DNA sequence: GTGAAAGCGCTAACAA
DNA sequence: TTGTTAGCGCTTTCAC
């Protein structure tokens, strides 16, 4: 328990104060406080005791400014109200902690564009973070690239093609393919693919593209519904297609799948009785109870790889910009066959 | 688009560099860069242009160190894999942004104790944040208190009785009461209350206590099952009680409710046919499809109030420690009657 | 309107 | 082992 001196404002206590109280110089106090360099054990003890007594908290800004380096890694995060991002956030955090990396996070509102993103990026860069983990699609390669040779950047979740920016990402094309194969194997040959437009969600776009081509290659006909960001967008069109004979609706995300299920219910239809439905993400608690047919994205693997890569980049910091290849690791999730999709 | 000078490391560009390039002094460059103080418009233009060209990014640590104050508010967060916390996080972020506050976040692993928490707290305090929003129960009042008079502290989500620490929190006792009243009104008189133990989840404990007393006051008999952190803990006991004649199981969280639903299904039972089930939180996407009977906690209101309070405290910074009362605002959620609970 | 100078709190050689 | 001496990059009076 650090108890601050009565009336003595702990956060305004400096090393000088501690040093003076302990009767040593600032330098000695600094060393003893961080336990590096040379100092007499008993001196340290005294210094530590004084620091404790005064409620000293090292001023990180000053320390890192003086030291010329930062011990923390910056994390740019997309809105965490989406459980998939919340979980990724959580796992990145755990992993970083396991590996002894300190993370500071700044988030960007879900639907905010350019200015805000750049602002957040600058906040982090302004802190001179040792590295940057980017877990939001909202920021573009062009915005990141100028800094790629000054600080290691790892993109988590989404693929990135820019040179010098490493990634640990979901293999969304494979995800789409796996789901589509499943639907094909159930005998569906007339399928709706419901997805956010490319500029709305790149991940959904990748999944949907893969679904479509896999379906087509498998001899099925595809009705592609490209929707807005809201999960309910495009649901009506999808249902129309069902009434027109489609036997399955493949959604590019579980949120859309939920929206479809609601609409189905409202329309007095059911899955898989009247139509098979699939989603993608597999993160929702309770998805099993709903019997959602989905694909569990490999959040843990992506988080672990992102942090591991960052740590490696941080260690080999002596390396020149081109000494190491750009790391790009895709991870494939696992199909979760549920009860919302069945054979025709 | 900020494009850094070819070969010129943007993050190593200092005001001095910008000043030199623009042919002015550091002082002038500083003023022009932040648009405060006196300077000729055309001078500023030139300086801004050079800064842009060189890819200058202000070193926040140095700036705040020199200025002696910080523009950011620190947020301590509990593991965000829980959607309820993820959403709170998201809303706090939005709200802070709306009000022009910058937030930096550090998270603490879900099940980690003391050391880790204190460490995170010190990381934030070390940055000399202007204020602290604490959205994790893991940190105790005792740990916070020493700093309460040095930096405004607002606890979000959980109630806090310590003097000087403000709060915007869920009114969990009312939540428990509302749910219990609902169950009573459905005619249940033999009810299981399934909750995490007090030291496992204080919120659950509060809810469960309120449920119990409300039920008892309503003439019902209560079987209290105090479980561990895992949602499945205590579920078997609850089911045993049901076989013994209990007609309803009230869970202190939706996670437990889901666990109960699973167990019910596995046992070939159903809700509300064989037993009524309720939860609490109401955050899960898809809860409506499952028909969960729950209570939607007022995340938005809590987030808004927390940030608003923080902003007010920050404005009235001149005020002495005792000039303003400790703010403590409870918020009540809304009952969501679902199909998992029905009349006896 | 602009510049010179004195730090902010801490660290890191280098002496002692 | 400990102290001295320079700064880190920026802000901010206060003269000019």
């Amino acid at each position: 328990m650090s108890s601050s001196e009565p009336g003595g404002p702990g956060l305004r206590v400096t090393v000088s104060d501690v040093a003076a109280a302990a009767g040593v110089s600032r330098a000695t106090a600094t060393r003893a406080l961080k336990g590096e360099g040379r100092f007499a054990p008993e001196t340290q003890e005294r210094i530590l005791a004084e620091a404790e007594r005064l409620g000293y908290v090292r001023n990180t800004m000053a320390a890192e400014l003086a030291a010329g380096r930062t011990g923390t890694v910056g994390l740019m995060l997309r809105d965490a109200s989406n459980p998939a991002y919340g979980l990724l956030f959580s796992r990145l955090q755990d992993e970083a902690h396991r590996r002894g990396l300190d993370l500071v996070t700044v988030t960007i509102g879900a639907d905010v564009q350019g200015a805000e993103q750049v602002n957040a990026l600058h906040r982090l860069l302004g802190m001179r973070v040792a590295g940057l983990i980017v877990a939001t699609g909202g920021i573009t390669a062009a915005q990141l690239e100028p800094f790629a040779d000054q600080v290691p950047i790892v993109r988590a979740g989404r693929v990135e093609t820019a040179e010098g920016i490493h990634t640990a990402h979901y293999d969304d094309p494979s995800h789409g393919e796996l789901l589509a194969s499943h639907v094909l194997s159930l005998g569906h040959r007339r399928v709706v693919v419901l997805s956010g437009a490319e500029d709305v969600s790149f991940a959904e776009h990748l999944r949907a593209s893969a679904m479509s081509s896999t379906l087509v290659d498998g001899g099925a006909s595809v009705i592609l519904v490209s929707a807005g960001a809201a999960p309910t967008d495009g649901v009506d069109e999808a249902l129309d297609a069902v009434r027109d004979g489609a036997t399955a609706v493949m959604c590019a995300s579980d949120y859309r799948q939920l929206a479809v299920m609601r609409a189905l219910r409202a329309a007095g239809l059911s899955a898989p009785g009247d139509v098979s439905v699939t989603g993608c993400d597999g993160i929702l608690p309770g998805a099993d109870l709903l019997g959602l047919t989905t694909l569990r994205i490999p959040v843990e693997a992506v988080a672990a790889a992102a942090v591991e890569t960052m740590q490696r980049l941080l260690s080999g910091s002596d390396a020149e910009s081109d000494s190491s290849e750009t790391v790009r690791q895709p991870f494939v999730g696992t199909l979760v066959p549920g009860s919302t999709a069945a054979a025709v």
Side-chain angles (χ1 to χ4, degrees), chain A:
Chain A
M1 284 308 92
S2 80
S3 65
S4 61
E5 185 76 323
L11 292 183
R12 251 137 243 168
V13 177
T14 72
V15 252
S16 301
D17 297 326
V18 175
V24 296
S25 72
R26 279 211 321 265
T28 303
T30 295
R31 288 188 223 108
L33 248 11
K34 62 182 326 199
E36 281 173 14
R38 319 194 165 296
F39 48 78
E42 58 168 25
T43 307
Q44 180 186 36
E45 204 170 316
R46 192 155 31 94
I47 293 172
L48 257 28
E50 285 304 324
E52 172 83 31
R53 192 176 66 79
L54 298 172
Y56 171 71
V57 177
R58 176 200 275 104
N59 186 323
T60 316
M61 300 185 299
E64 301 190 326
L65 177 59
R69 57 195 155 55
T70 301
T72 60
V73 171
L75 172 61
M76 289 189 69
L77 198 74
R78 191 181 183 291
D79 172 76
S81 62
N82 180 331
Y85 276 95
L87 186 60
L88 177 59
F89 179 36
S90 167
R91 291 298 169 269
L92 283 168
Q93 199 73 49
D94 285 357
E95 196 62 27
H97 179 237
R98 279 203 330 104
R99 292 176 176 274
L101 295 182
D102 280 341
L103 244 48
V104 306
T105 307
V106 304
T107 15
I108 306 94
D111 44 26
V112 194
Q113 293 305 330
E116 168 78 357
Q117 311 270 354
V118 172
N119 178 32
L121 177 60
H122 276 226
R123 291 244 312 287
L124 248 18
L125 291 174
M127 295 171 88
R128 295 300 189 270
V129 290
L132 212 51
I133 297 180
V134 181
T136 163
I139 194 135
T140 68
Q143 292 168 135
L144 253 23
E145 239 168 346
F147 302 102
D149 56 328
Q150 316 188 36
V151 62
I153 301 180
V154 177
R155 187 149 218 163
R158 168 175 171 170
V159 68
E160 172 66 69
T161 53
E163 194 50 41
I165 299 178
H166 310 132
T167 87
H169 61 276
Y170 301 123
D171 187 347
D172 284 310
S174 293
H175 294 169
E177 193 184 325
L178 283 166
L179 285 159
S181 297
H182 180 60
V183 168
L184 280 173
S185 76
L186 292 172
H188 297 276
R189 290 297 178 271
R190 190 133 177 221
V191 181
V192 178
V193 172
L194 174 57
S195 153
E198 179 168 356
D199 58 330
V200 160
S201 168
F202 194 63
E204 287 193 20
H205 167 72
L206 290 176
R207 295 167 181 172
S209 299
M211 288 175 193
S212 297
S213 47
T214 303
L215 289 168
V216 169
D217 288 353
S221 72
V222 171
I223 300 95
L224 193 61
V225 179
S226 190
T232 50
D233 289 348
V235 169
D236 289 344
E237 281 175 75
L239 287 214
D240 285 346
V242 169
R243 296 197 187 86
D244 267 19
T247 62
V249 176
M250 299 193 68
C251 305
S253 80
D254 281 346
Y255 272 105
R256 294 190 193 279
Q257 182 176 20
L258 290 178
V260 168
M261 299 293 286
R262 282 189 196 100
L264 243 33
R265 183 174 294 190
L269 301 173
S270 76
D274 299 297
V275 59
S276 284
V277 184
T278 68
C280 192
D281 269 355
I283 301 299
L284 294 182
D288 56 326
L289 284 169
L290 286 167
L292 298 189
T293 300
T294 183
L295 185 143
R296 173 52 151 83
I297 57 176
V299 180
E300 292 77 7
V302 162
V307 175
E308 198 238 315
T309 300
M310 176 55 69
Q311 193 181 41
R312 215 156 33 64
L313 293 171
L314 254 26
S315 318
S317 56
D318 58 295
E320 288 306 301
S321 47
D322 56 276
S323 82
S324 63
E325 289 296 300
T326 301
V327 180
R328 252 192 267 295
Q329 314 175 63
F331 291 90
V332 182
T334 59
L335 186 71
V336 181
S339 59
T340 56
V344 184

